[in-house]
Amino acid sequence: MKYTPAKPPIYGESLDSLQSHLAANGEPKFRAKQVMDWLYKKRARNWDEMTNLPKSLREKLADSFDIAPSKRVLAKESADETEKLLLQMDDSSMIETVVIRAPQIGVGQESSRKTICISTQVGCAYGCKFCASGLAGWKRDLSTGEIVSQLIHVCHLEDATTQRASEEIASFDNIVVMGMGEPMANYKNLIPALRILNAPWGLNFGARRITISTSGIVPRILELAQEPEQFRLAVSLHGATNPVREQIMPINRKYPLEQLVPAIKQYGQSKGRMVTLEFILIEEINDTLEQADALIKIALELKAHVNLIPYNTVDGLEWRRPSIARQDTFYNRLKNRGVSTTIRREKGHDIAAACGQLKLKMVNSE
Ligand code: SAH
Ligand code: SF4
């Protein structure tokens, strides 16, 4: 389904496209830079705040573009400092944006690290068997403006409590593209969005602090490897042999491990950086020692970091999280063989932080 809003969001414009728009409407090009400054540096929330623009121009802009980022429907804060925002788009589709705070012991709130997890699609077509986002299927891609808006929404929320807006820098430290949807299936809107966030005239946010997570769309991984930016890549592996991976991730039939692993290797080599392999631990599906050994082989070959994620149960799905003892055995096996590994002691488990779950709860209770 293709969705065309009445007015496109201003956050979908690049400096070039806004300059062209203004020139076509008889306005000088330099105004585009001023608008970008207001949006990304001073974080104006409406056109009237842009006091160095003539009123006639502000009116023209208001006629052409929507400036309000998506509407917040619900915010849930968990005990471990994860905050989940449910955002409603113009067509009333709902998406999730998550703020994950990692406070540093002994320092003030300002120095806590914040990671923002953004969505790229409404729903997801890839149907991984364990995932809430995949359950309802794919509804539509988010536009470039809708992707950027999620981060501006968070900036507006966070700016109230931090100094960062006055320093004209982003209100968070990392972006992870791990919310609802498969980012690589919306490559055409995602990459321009990340470029707006990265641009000096935009949020000026470093590409190395942006991680894109994919279920393994091989041609897009290879395409991303050719882009000039140093985006980080995370691959949802979740199975270290084809039969196990195929059982939970249908995409493995199209791009099996013998294609996926070399593509990840190429990505790592062309960027000169370590790729992350995400591995959800699901009881008796992929948490066996045979899987650990197959994973060790892949991780060592790729020189990749492995992020183990104990499965977050989803209502209506049969999969279970392994016991801490089983998780530890798996983790230690990797560690002892020299694999760089972390295990995520789940943030936000109590508010269902894993992808798509808050939305699923809302929809089910309607
Ligand atoms: N589509 C992309 C990005 C969104 S999913 C991808 O699949 O990588 C982000 C991460 O959350 C993926 O690693 C995904 O496998 C994981 N995930 C999905 N459901 C989960 C659950 N119930 N518990 C833990 N992690 C989950
Ligand atoms: Fe889609 Fe990722 Fe969920 Fe798979 S894990 S259904 S690709 S969002």
Side-chain angles (χ1 to χ4, degrees), residues 7-52:
K7 277 191 276 183
I10 185 67
Y11 296 107
E13 299 302 312
S14 66
L15 186 61
D16 275 355
S17 68
L18 190 58
Q19 282 174 343
S20 310
H21 174 90
L22 291 176
N25 286 279
E27 296 285 346
K29 276 187 171 181
F30 75 88
R31 295 289 186 200
K33 175 75 170 54
Q34 289 180 314
V35 172
M36 293 305 188
D37 268 359
W38 280 109
L39 294 174
Y40 294 102
K41 307 288 195 281
K42 304 195 186 77
R43 312 251 235 271
R45 292 168 194 224
N46 57 59
W47 301 108
D48 288 335
E49 281 180 53
M50 304 186 183
T51 44
N52 58 354

mmCIF file of all heavy atoms in Angstrom, residues 7-52:
data_model
loop_
_atom_site.group_PDB
_atom_site.id
_atom_site.type_symbol
_atom_site.label_atom_id
_atom_site.label_comp_id
_atom_site.label_asym_id
_atom_site.label_seq_id
_atom_site.Cartn_x
_atom_site.Cartn_y
_atom_site.Cartn_z
ATOM 1 N N LYS A 7 -0.050 16.825 3.246
ATOM 2 C CA LYS A 7 1.148 17.672 3.135
ATOM 3 C C LYS A 7 2.342 16.837 3.560
ATOM 4 O O LYS A 7 2.289 16.185 4.601
ATOM 5 C CB LYS A 7 1.042 18.863 4.094
ATOM 6 C CG LYS A 7 0.243 20.030 3.546
ATOM 7 C CD LYS A 7 0.411 21.243 4.420
ATOM 8 C CE LYS A 7 -0.555 21.201 5.591
ATOM 9 N NZ LYS A 7 -0.472 22.405 6.438
ATOM 10 N N PRO A 8 3.423 16.844 2.781
ATOM 11 C CA PRO A 8 4.573 16.040 3.222
ATOM 12 C C PRO A 8 5.228 16.638 4.458
ATOM 13 O O PRO A 8 5.208 17.861 4.644
ATOM 14 C CB PRO A 8 5.517 16.102 2.021
ATOM 15 C CG PRO A 8 5.096 17.294 1.234
ATOM 16 C CD PRO A 8 3.646 17.537 1.519
ATOM 17 N N PRO A 9 5.803 15.803 5.309
ATOM 18 C CA PRO A 9 6.494 16.358 6.482
ATOM 19 C C PRO A 9 7.759 17.103 6.046
ATOM 20 O O PRO A 9 8.475 16.618 5.171
ATOM 21 C CB PRO A 9 6.852 15.136 7.320
ATOM 22 C CG PRO A 9 6.634 13.940 6.469
ATOM 23 C CD PRO A 9 5.835 14.335 5.273
ATOM 24 N N ILE A 10 8.011 18.237 6.651
ATOM 25 C CA ILE A 10 9.211 19.025 6.324
ATOM 26 C C ILE A 10 10.473 18.204 6.624
ATOM 27 O O ILE A 10 11.514 18.374 5.983
ATOM 28 C CB ILE A 10 9.224 20.378 7.087
ATOM 29 C CG1 ILE A 10 10.408 21.264 6.672
ATOM 30 C CG2 ILE A 10 9.202 20.209 8.590
ATOM 31 C CD1 ILE A 10 10.377 21.777 5.281
ATOM 32 N N TYR A 11 10.372 17.259 7.577
ATOM 33 C CA TYR A 11 11.549 16.471 7.965
ATOM 34 C C TYR A 11 12.000 15.478 6.894
ATOM 35 O O TYR A 11 13.020 14.835 7.042
ATOM 36 C CB TYR A 11 11.280 15.750 9.296
ATOM 37 C CG TYR A 11 11.082 16.749 10.421
ATOM 38 C CD1 TYR A 11 9.826 16.971 10.963
ATOM 39 C CD2 TYR A 11 12.158 17.497 10.878
ATOM 40 C CE1 TYR A 11 9.645 17.911 11.971
ATOM 41 C CE2 TYR A 11 11.991 18.440 11.873
ATOM 42 C CZ TYR A 11 10.733 18.645 12.421
ATOM 43 O OH TYR A 11 10.566 19.569 13.394
ATOM 44 N N GLY A 12 11.239 15.382 5.802
ATOM 45 C CA GLY A 12 11.660 14.511 4.707
ATOM 46 C C GLY A 12 12.501 15.249 3.674
ATOM 47 O O GLY A 12 12.982 14.650 2.718
ATOM 48 N N GLU A 13 12.668 16.567 3.849
ATOM 49 C CA GLU A 13 13.398 17.364 2.847
ATOM 50 C C GLU A 13 14.895 17.389 3.148
ATOM 51 O O GLU A 13 15.304 17.503 4.300
ATOM 52 C CB GLU A 13 12.877 18.807 2.840
ATOM 53 C CG GLU A 13 11.412 18.934 2.479
ATOM 54 C CD GLU A 13 11.059 18.352 1.111
ATOM 55 O OE1 GLU A 13 11.766 18.663 0.134
ATOM 56 O OE2 GLU A 13 10.079 17.586 1.030
ATOM 57 N N SER A 14 15.676 17.340 2.072
ATOM 58 C CA SER A 14 17.117 17.575 2.220
ATOM 59 C C SER A 14 17.359 19.058 1.939
ATOM 60 O O SER A 14 16.460 19.758 1.451
ATOM 61 C CB SER A 14 17.897 16.726 1.219
ATOM 62 O OG SER A 14 17.602 17.168 -0.088
ATOM 63 N N LEU A 15 18.576 19.510 2.211
ATOM 64 C CA LEU A 15 18.879 20.918 1.926
ATOM 65 C C LEU A 15 18.659 21.194 0.438
ATOM 66 O O LEU A 15 18.041 22.197 0.065
ATOM 67 C CB LEU A 15 20.326 21.223 2.333
ATOM 68 C CG LEU A 15 20.750 22.688 2.223
ATOM 69 C CD1 LEU A 15 19.921 23.584 3.124
ATOM 70 C CD2 LEU A 15 22.241 22.843 2.556
ATOM 71 N N ASP A 16 19.125 20.286 -0.410
ATOM 72 C CA ASP A 16 18.966 20.444 -1.863
ATOM 73 C C ASP A 16 17.507 20.526 -2.278
ATOM 74 O O ASP A 16 17.122 21.391 -3.052
ATOM 75 C CB ASP A 16 19.572 19.230 -2.603
ATOM 76 C CG ASP A 16 21.054 19.408 -2.812
ATOM 77 O OD1 ASP A 16 21.563 20.499 -2.473
ATOM 78 O OD2 ASP A 16 21.688 18.446 -3.303
ATOM 79 N N SER A 17 16.711 19.577 -1.760
ATOM 80 C CA SER A 17 15.315 19.550 -2.215
ATOM 81 C C SER A 17 14.558 20.779 -1.712
ATOM 82 O O SER A 17 13.707 21.326 -2.412
ATOM 83 C CB SER A 17 14.620 18.249 -1.795
ATOM 84 O OG SER A 17 14.454 18.210 -0.394
ATOM 85 N N LEU A 18 14.915 21.251 -0.527
ATOM 86 C CA LEU A 18 14.231 22.449 -0.020
ATOM 87 C C LEU A 18 14.665 23.690 -0.807
ATOM 88 O O LEU A 18 13.843 24.561 -1.122
ATOM 89 C CB LEU A 18 14.495 22.624 1.483
ATOM 90 C CG LEU A 18 13.649 23.702 2.172
ATOM 91 C CD1 LEU A 18 12.143 23.435 2.020
ATOM 92 C CD2 LEU A 18 14.000 23.816 3.660
ATOM 93 N N GLN A 19 15.943 23.747 -1.160
ATOM 94 C CA GLN A 19 16.416 24.860 -1.984
ATOM 95 C C GLN A 19 15.662 24.895 -3.309
ATOM 96 O O GLN A 19 15.209 25.954 -3.754
ATOM 97 C CB GLN A 19 17.920 24.716 -2.257
ATOM 98 C CG GLN A 19 18.771 25.148 -1.076
ATOM 99 C CD GLN A 19 20.250 24.860 -1.287
ATOM 100 O OE1 GLN A 19 20.638 24.079 -2.146
ATOM 101 N NE2 GLN A 19 21.085 25.503 -0.485
ATOM 102 N N SER A 20 15.501 23.722 -3.928
ATOM 103 C CA SER A 20 14.792 23.669 -5.217
ATOM 104 C C SER A 20 13.339 24.089 -5.036
ATOM 105 O O SER A 20 12.791 24.830 -5.859
ATOM 106 C CB SER A 20 14.801 22.263 -5.812
ATOM 107 O OG SER A 20 16.083 21.765 -5.804
ATOM 108 N N HIS A 21 12.732 23.607 -3.951
ATOM 109 C CA HIS A 21 11.333 23.970 -3.692
ATOM 110 C C HIS A 21 11.197 25.495 -3.543
ATOM 111 O O HIS A 21 10.300 26.104 -4.117
ATOM 112 C CB HIS A 21 10.838 23.264 -2.425
ATOM 113 C CG HIS A 21 9.462 23.686 -2.002
ATOM 114 N ND1 HIS A 21 8.318 23.044 -2.439
ATOM 115 C CD2 HIS A 21 9.039 24.716 -1.207
ATOM 116 C CE1 HIS A 21 7.265 23.653 -1.930
ATOM 117 N NE2 HIS A 21 7.675 24.665 -1.171
ATOM 118 N N LEU A 22 12.116 26.082 -2.778
ATOM 119 C CA LEU A 22 12.028 27.532 -2.543
ATOM 120 C C LEU A 22 12.276 28.294 -3.846
ATOM 121 O O LEU A 22 11.553 29.252 -4.167
ATOM 122 C CB LEU A 22 13.032 27.959 -1.466
ATOM 123 C CG LEU A 22 12.707 27.452 -0.050
ATOM 124 C CD1 LEU A 22 13.809 27.840 0.930
ATOM 125 C CD2 LEU A 22 11.362 27.978 0.436
ATOM 126 N N ALA A 23 13.289 27.843 -4.602
ATOM 127 C CA ALA A 23 13.600 28.530 -5.862
ATOM 128 C C ALA A 23 12.388 28.476 -6.793
ATOM 129 O O ALA A 23 12.030 29.485 -7.418
ATOM 130 C CB ALA A 23 14.816 27.881 -6.514
ATOM 131 N N ALA A 24 11.726 27.322 -6.834
ATOM 132 C CA ALA A 24 10.553 27.182 -7.717
ATOM 133 C C ALA A 24 9.407 28.081 -7.259
ATOM 134 O O ALA A 24 8.494 28.387 -8.028
ATOM 135 C CB ALA A 24 10.106 25.721 -7.723
ATOM 136 N N ASN A 25 9.442 28.499 -5.990
ATOM 137 C CA ASN A 25 8.389 29.370 -5.463
ATOM 138 C C ASN A 25 8.850 30.818 -5.311
ATOM 139 O O ASN A 25 8.299 31.582 -4.508
ATOM 140 C CB ASN A 25 7.883 28.824 -4.131
ATOM 141 C CG ASN A 25 7.021 27.586 -4.337
ATOM 142 O OD1 ASN A 25 5.848 27.685 -4.664
ATOM 143 N ND2 ASN A 25 7.637 26.420 -4.209
ATOM 144 N N GLY A 26 9.903 31.148 -6.038
ATOM 145 C CA GLY A 26 10.365 32.538 -6.088
ATOM 146 C C GLY A 26 11.069 33.012 -4.822
ATOM 147 O O GLY A 26 11.142 34.217 -4.553
ATOM 148 N N GLU A 27 11.594 32.098 -4.042
ATOM 149 C CA GLU A 27 12.288 32.493 -2.803
ATOM 150 C C GLU A 27 13.792 32.263 -2.962
ATOM 151 O O GLU A 27 14.204 31.355 -3.673
ATOM 152 C CB GLU A 27 11.797 31.628 -1.633
ATOM 153 C CG GLU A 27 10.342 31.804 -1.279
ATOM 154 C CD GLU A 27 10.059 33.104 -0.534
ATOM 155 O OE1 GLU A 27 11.030 33.745 -0.060
ATOM 156 O OE2 GLU A 27 8.875 33.467 -0.439
ATOM 157 N N PRO A 28 14.616 33.061 -2.279
ATOM 158 C CA PRO A 28 16.062 32.841 -2.383
ATOM 159 C C PRO A 28 16.464 31.517 -1.720
ATOM 160 O O PRO A 28 15.873 31.096 -0.721
ATOM 161 C CB PRO A 28 16.670 34.027 -1.624
ATOM 162 C CG PRO A 28 15.569 34.651 -0.861
ATOM 163 C CD PRO A 28 14.264 34.216 -1.441
ATOM 164 N N LYS A 29 17.484 30.897 -2.308
ATOM 165 C CA LYS A 29 17.924 29.579 -1.833
ATOM 166 C C LYS A 29 18.438 29.597 -0.399
ATOM 167 O O LYS A 29 18.310 28.612 0.326
ATOM 168 C CB LYS A 29 19.067 29.080 -2.725
ATOM 169 C CG LYS A 29 18.618 28.394 -3.979
ATOM 170 C CD LYS A 29 19.844 27.805 -4.654
ATOM 171 C CE LYS A 29 19.470 26.897 -5.805
ATOM 172 N NZ LYS A 29 20.641 26.298 -6.443
ATOM 173 N N PHE A 30 19.060 30.718 0.006
ATOM 174 C CA PHE A 30 19.689 30.721 1.345
ATOM 175 C C PHE A 30 18.673 30.522 2.468
ATOM 176 O O PHE A 30 19.026 30.152 3.586
ATOM 177 C CB PHE A 30 20.502 32.014 1.567
ATOM 178 C CG PHE A 30 19.672 33.244 1.837
ATOM 179 C CD1 PHE A 30 19.288 33.575 3.136
ATOM 180 C CD2 PHE A 30 19.270 34.077 0.806
ATOM 181 C CE1 PHE A 30 18.533 34.713 3.409
ATOM 182 C CE2 PHE A 30 18.502 35.221 1.051
ATOM 183 C CZ PHE A 30 18.136 35.534 2.353
ATOM 184 N N ARG A 31 17.412 30.755 2.137
ATOM 185 C CA ARG A 31 16.367 30.549 3.159
ATOM 186 C C ARG A 31 16.308 29.082 3.606
ATOM 187 O O ARG A 31 15.910 28.781 4.737
ATOM 188 C CB ARG A 31 14.999 30.966 2.617
ATOM 189 C CG ARG A 31 14.870 32.455 2.310
ATOM 190 C CD ARG A 31 14.823 33.251 3.577
ATOM 191 N NE ARG A 31 14.558 34.665 3.341
ATOM 192 C CZ ARG A 31 14.836 35.620 4.212
ATOM 193 N NH1 ARG A 31 15.417 35.326 5.362
ATOM 194 N NH2 ARG A 31 14.557 36.873 3.949
ATOM 195 N N ALA A 32 16.673 28.163 2.699
ATOM 196 C CA ALA A 32 16.581 26.729 3.037
ATOM 197 C C ALA A 32 17.483 26.420 4.227
ATOM 198 O O ALA A 32 17.092 25.707 5.156
ATOM 199 C CB ALA A 32 16.964 25.879 1.837
ATOM 200 N N LYS A 33 18.676 26.958 4.228
ATOM 201 C CA LYS A 33 19.618 26.720 5.332
ATOM 202 C C LYS A 33 19.046 27.281 6.637
ATOM 203 O O LYS A 33 19.175 26.671 7.709
ATOM 204 C CB LYS A 33 20.968 27.348 4.965
ATOM 205 C CG LYS A 33 22.021 27.299 6.041
ATOM 206 C CD LYS A 33 22.615 25.895 6.207
ATOM 207 C CE LYS A 33 23.835 25.864 7.095
ATOM 208 N NZ LYS A 33 23.662 26.441 8.405
ATOM 209 N N GLN A 34 18.414 28.432 6.533
ATOM 210 C CA GLN A 34 17.811 29.021 7.749
ATOM 211 C C GLN A 34 16.716 28.101 8.307
ATOM 212 O O GLN A 34 16.623 27.883 9.514
ATOM 213 C CB GLN A 34 17.217 30.401 7.433
ATOM 214 C CG GLN A 34 18.276 31.464 7.175
ATOM 215 C CD GLN A 34 17.651 32.815 6.863
ATOM 216 O OE1 GLN A 34 16.712 32.910 6.065
ATOM 217 N NE2 GLN A 34 18.181 33.872 7.481
ATOM 218 N N VAL A 35 15.904 27.561 7.398
ATOM 219 C CA VAL A 35 14.833 26.661 7.860
ATOM 220 C C VAL A 35 15.454 25.444 8.554
ATOM 221 O O VAL A 35 15.026 25.041 9.645
ATOM 222 C CB VAL A 35 13.935 26.214 6.668
ATOM 223 C CG1 VAL A 35 12.952 25.132 7.119
ATOM 224 C CG2 VAL A 35 13.188 27.401 6.072
ATOM 225 N N MET A 36 16.495 24.870 7.934
ATOM 226 C CA MET A 36 17.135 23.680 8.522
ATOM 227 C C MET A 36 17.701 23.997 9.911
ATOM 228 O O MET A 36 17.596 23.197 10.830
ATOM 229 C CB MET A 36 18.253 23.155 7.610
ATOM 230 C CG MET A 36 17.750 22.607 6.293
ATOM 231 S SD MET A 36 16.506 21.324 6.532
ATOM 232 C CE MET A 36 16.275 20.719 4.872
ATOM 233 N N ASP A 37 18.300 25.173 10.045
ATOM 234 C CA ASP A 37 18.816 25.600 11.355
ATOM 235 C C ASP A 37 17.705 25.623 12.406
ATOM 236 O O ASP A 37 17.893 25.174 13.537
ATOM 237 C CB ASP A 37 19.390 27.013 11.262
ATOM 238 C CG ASP A 37 20.868 26.981 10.948
ATOM 239 O OD1 ASP A 37 21.417 25.868 10.822
ATOM 240 O OD2 ASP A 37 21.462 28.067 10.828
ATOM 241 N N TRP A 38 16.595 26.158 12.015
ATOM 242 C CA TRP A 38 15.464 26.218 12.954
ATOM 243 C C TRP A 38 14.985 24.827 13.344
ATOM 244 O O TRP A 38 14.679 24.562 14.504
ATOM 245 C CB TRP A 38 14.295 27.020 12.356
ATOM 246 C CG TRP A 38 14.486 28.500 12.480
ATOM 247 C CD1 TRP A 38 14.758 29.384 11.482
ATOM 248 C CD2 TRP A 38 14.429 29.267 13.691
ATOM 249 N NE1 TRP A 38 14.875 30.651 11.984
ATOM 250 C CE2 TRP A 38 14.679 30.618 13.336
ATOM 251 C CE3 TRP A 38 14.203 28.960 15.033
ATOM 252 C CZ2 TRP A 38 14.702 31.645 14.280
ATOM 253 C CZ3 TRP A 38 14.227 29.992 15.980
ATOM 254 C CH2 TRP A 38 14.483 31.311 15.587
ATOM 255 N N LEU A 39 14.936 23.941 12.353
ATOM 256 C CA LEU A 39 14.403 22.603 12.632
ATOM 257 C C LEU A 39 15.362 21.766 13.462
ATOM 258 O O LEU A 39 14.978 21.143 14.450
ATOM 259 C CB LEU A 39 14.124 21.862 11.315
ATOM 260 C CG LEU A 39 13.032 22.433 10.426
ATOM 261 C CD1 LEU A 39 12.994 21.662 9.103
ATOM 262 C CD2 LEU A 39 11.670 22.352 11.111
ATOM 263 N N TYR A 40 16.632 21.731 13.028
ATOM 264 C CA TYR A 40 17.556 20.747 13.607
ATOM 265 C C TYR A 40 18.463 21.305 14.693
ATOM 266 O O TYR A 40 18.933 20.560 15.545
ATOM 267 C CB TYR A 40 18.395 20.111 12.487
ATOM 268 C CG TYR A 40 17.530 19.296 11.568
ATOM 269 C CD1 TYR A 40 17.146 19.786 10.321
ATOM 270 C CD2 TYR A 40 17.038 18.065 11.972
ATOM 271 C CE1 TYR A 40 16.314 19.050 9.484
ATOM 272 C CE2 TYR A 40 16.200 17.328 11.147
ATOM 273 C CZ TYR A 40 15.849 17.819 9.909
ATOM 274 O OH TYR A 40 15.013 17.091 9.110
ATOM 275 N N LYS A 41 18.753 22.591 14.656
ATOM 276 C CA LYS A 41 19.645 23.153 15.669
ATOM 277 C C LYS A 41 18.825 23.808 16.785
ATOM 278 O O LYS A 41 19.040 23.541 17.951
ATOM 279 C CB LYS A 41 20.595 24.186 15.048
ATOM 280 C CG LYS A 41 21.367 23.667 13.823
ATOM 281 C CD LYS A 41 22.439 22.671 14.242
ATOM 282 C CE LYS A 41 23.471 22.397 13.149
ATOM 283 N NZ LYS A 41 23.070 21.465 12.094
ATOM 284 N N LYS A 42 17.879 24.657 16.397
ATOM 285 C CA LYS A 42 17.104 25.364 17.432
ATOM 286 C C LYS A 42 15.841 24.595 17.811
ATOM 287 O O LYS A 42 15.171 24.946 18.775
ATOM 288 C CB LYS A 42 16.739 26.754 16.933
ATOM 289 C CG LYS A 42 17.954 27.582 16.512
ATOM 290 C CD LYS A 42 17.604 29.067 16.373
ATOM 291 C CE LYS A 42 18.737 29.898 15.813
ATOM 292 N NZ LYS A 42 18.920 29.749 14.354
ATOM 293 N N ARG A 43 15.525 23.571 17.033
ATOM 294 C CA ARG A 43 14.383 22.672 17.308
ATOM 295 C C ARG A 43 13.047 23.411 17.426
ATOM 296 O O ARG A 43 12.275 23.209 18.379
ATOM 297 C CB ARG A 43 14.632 21.876 18.574
ATOM 298 C CG ARG A 43 16.009 21.285 18.526
ATOM 299 C CD ARG A 43 16.121 19.855 18.332
ATOM 300 N NE ARG A 43 16.896 19.309 19.392
ATOM 301 C CZ ARG A 43 18.237 19.192 19.350
ATOM 302 N NH1 ARG A 43 18.922 19.530 18.278
ATOM 303 N NH2 ARG A 43 18.870 18.700 20.389
ATOM 304 N N ALA A 44 12.808 24.292 16.453
ATOM 305 C CA ALA A 44 11.522 24.999 16.419
ATOM 306 C C ALA A 44 10.389 23.994 16.269
ATOM 307 O O ALA A 44 10.531 22.987 15.580
ATOM 308 C CB ALA A 44 11.514 25.970 15.246
ATOM 309 N N ARG A 45 9.286 24.279 16.943
ATOM 310 C CA ARG A 45 8.152 23.352 16.864
ATOM 311 C C ARG A 45 7.063 23.863 15.945
ATOM 312 O O ARG A 45 6.117 23.157 15.638
ATOM 313 C CB ARG A 45 7.576 23.115 18.246
ATOM 314 C CG ARG A 45 8.579 22.352 19.080
ATOM 315 C CD ARG A 45 8.194 22.325 20.534
ATOM 316 N NE ARG A 45 9.335 21.875 21.298
ATOM 317 C CZ ARG A 45 9.266 20.986 22.271
ATOM 318 N NH1 ARG A 45 8.129 20.479 22.613
ATOM 319 N NH2 ARG A 45 10.365 20.643 22.907
ATOM 320 N N ASN A 46 7.152 25.150 15.568
ATOM 321 C CA ASN A 46 6.181 25.664 14.595
ATOM 322 C C ASN A 46 6.824 26.758 13.745
ATOM 323 O O ASN A 46 7.912 27.253 14.065
ATOM 324 C CB ASN A 46 4.904 26.150 15.305
ATOM 325 C CG ASN A 46 5.227 27.212 16.329
ATOM 326 O OD1 ASN A 46 5.788 28.257 15.995
ATOM 327 N ND2 ASN A 46 4.910 26.936 17.586
ATOM 328 N N TRP A 47 6.148 27.096 12.673
ATOM 329 C CA TRP A 47 6.727 28.039 11.700
ATOM 330 C C TRP A 47 6.904 29.432 12.308
ATOM 331 O O TRP A 47 7.839 30.150 11.956
ATOM 332 C CB TRP A 47 5.841 28.128 10.452
ATOM 333 C CG TRP A 47 5.657 26.801 9.766
ATOM 334 C CD1 TRP A 47 4.517 26.049 9.748
ATOM 335 C CD2 TRP A 47 6.639 26.062 9.021
ATOM 336 N NE1 TRP A 47 4.726 24.882 9.033
ATOM 337 C CE2 TRP A 47 6.013 24.869 8.570
ATOM 338 C CE3 TRP A 47 7.977 26.288 8.685
ATOM 339 C CZ2 TRP A 47 6.685 23.915 7.805
ATOM 340 C CZ3 TRP A 47 8.634 25.338 7.915
ATOM 341 C CH2 TRP A 47 7.996 24.171 7.492
ATOM 342 N N ASP A 48 6.020 29.809 13.218
ATOM 343 C CA ASP A 48 6.080 31.165 13.770
ATOM 344 C C ASP A 48 7.326 31.429 14.594
ATOM 345 O O ASP A 48 7.729 32.568 14.789
ATOM 346 C CB ASP A 48 4.830 31.455 14.618
ATOM 347 C CG ASP A 48 3.622 31.614 13.720
ATOM 348 O OD1 ASP A 48 3.819 31.963 12.530
ATOM 349 O OD2 ASP A 48 2.492 31.355 14.193
ATOM 350 N N GLU A 49 7.946 30.354 15.091
ATOM 351 C CA GLU A 49 9.193 30.550 15.843
ATOM 352 C C GLU A 49 10.326 31.015 14.942
ATOM 353 O O GLU A 49 11.340 31.508 15.418
ATOM 354 C CB GLU A 49 9.612 29.218 16.494
ATOM 355 C CG GLU A 49 8.869 28.883 17.751
ATOM 356 C CD GLU A 49 9.355 27.556 18.322
ATOM 357 O OE1 GLU A 49 10.568 27.388 18.526
ATOM 358 O OE2 GLU A 49 8.493 26.680 18.551
ATOM 359 N N MET A 50 10.192 30.824 13.634
ATOM 360 C CA MET A 50 11.300 31.103 12.706
ATOM 361 C C MET A 50 11.333 32.589 12.376
ATOM 362 O O MET A 50 11.031 33.027 11.259
ATOM 363 C CB MET A 50 11.142 30.241 11.441
ATOM 364 C CG MET A 50 11.059 28.767 11.773
ATOM 365 S SD MET A 50 11.050 27.726 10.316
ATOM 366 C CE MET A 50 10.854 26.106 11.051
ATOM 367 N N THR A 51 11.718 33.363 13.375
ATOM 368 C CA THR A 51 11.518 34.812 13.321
ATOM 369 C C THR A 51 12.376 35.543 12.281
ATOM 370 O O THR A 51 12.052 36.671 11.925
ATOM 371 C CB THR A 51 11.787 35.429 14.711
ATOM 372 O OG1 THR A 51 12.991 34.820 15.211
ATOM 373 C CG2 THR A 51 10.654 35.131 15.681
ATOM 374 N N ASN A 52 13.441 34.904 11.806
ATOM 375 C CA ASN A 52 14.220 35.604 10.766
ATOM 376 C C ASN A 52 13.706 35.303 9.342
ATOM 377 O O ASN A 52 14.316 35.709 8.368
ATOM 378 C CB ASN A 52 15.727 35.307 10.878
ATOM 379 C CG ASN A 52 16.033 33.818 10.771
ATOM 380 O OD1 ASN A 52 15.122 33.000 10.723
ATOM 381 N ND2 ASN A 52 17.311 33.492 10.720
#
